Amino acid sequence: MKPATAAKKLGVYLEATPAEFQEGAVSRDELNALQADPPEWLRELRRNGPHPRPVVAARLGVSISGLARGGVTEALTTEQIEALKQENPDWLQKERATQADVRKETARVKAKNEAKAAERADEQRR
């Protein structure tokens, strides 16, 4: 697979990986080995970053779109993420609230669908 795909699966920012990782193809066996026993460079990237946008969004509790609306378009380090959490700007508060609303709605829809499925199962048993 391409290095970009492997980096995405590993949850790391491609541009921060070693040159030999960026330049070569990664086999499934190599990817599995990296996941099972990560080398020091991979552990360091996962711990301190820079982190790709999906990881930054997850650590901040917002969506990737929310990051963009907040003006965050680059990879951030763990230190920068923690600083943003401490600063807690208005956009971050708003995006966290939006994300919480989305989660509530998703849970509501899921519960509604489960109830309908249970109702249908009851009807079929009769």
Side-chain angles (χ1 to χ4, degrees):
M1 70 185 72
K2 293 178 182 177
T5 303
K8 185 175 182 178
K9 289 181 182 278
L10 292 170
V12 295
Y13 186 57
L14 178 62
E15 286 75 14
T17 61
E20 57 270 9
F21 181 86
Q22 293 180 36
E23 294 166 0
V26 179
S27 71
R28 290 226 178 259
D29 290 338
E30 290 170 328
L31 179 68
N32 290 339
L34 286 169
Q35 289 173 326
D37 186 24
E40 183 56 35
W41 65 264
L42 182 54
R43 287 193 297 267
E44 181 67 21
L45 277 178
R46 286 177 171 169
R47 190 175 336 145
N48 298 318
H51 303 287
R53 287 182 305 149
V55 174
V56 173
R59 288 187 177 195
L60 289 174
V62 300
S63 66
I64 295 172
S65 299
L67 281 180
R69 285 189 292 271
V72 178
T73 57
E74 298 297 318
L76 299 179
T77 64
T78 300
E79 188 176 298
Q80 291 169 316
I81 293 169
E82 292 304 316
L84 256 178
K85 285 180 178 178
Q86 292 297 318
E87 185 182 316
N88 202 17
D90 291 340
W91 72 264
L92 182 57
Q93 293 174 36
K94 181 181 175 204
E95 292 300 333
R96 282 181 167 171
T98 299
Q99 192 69 9
D101 291 343
V102 168
R103 284 190 197 108
K104 285 179 192 172
E105 180 62 11
T106 301
R108 185 192 68 78
V109 169
K110 181 179 177 185
K112 179 181 174 184
N113 290 340
E114 287 173 351
K116 283 184 180 180
E119 193 176 296
R120 275 185 249 130
D122 284 346
E123 288 176 11
Q124 288 178 353
R125 280 189 224 128
R126 291 180 197 167

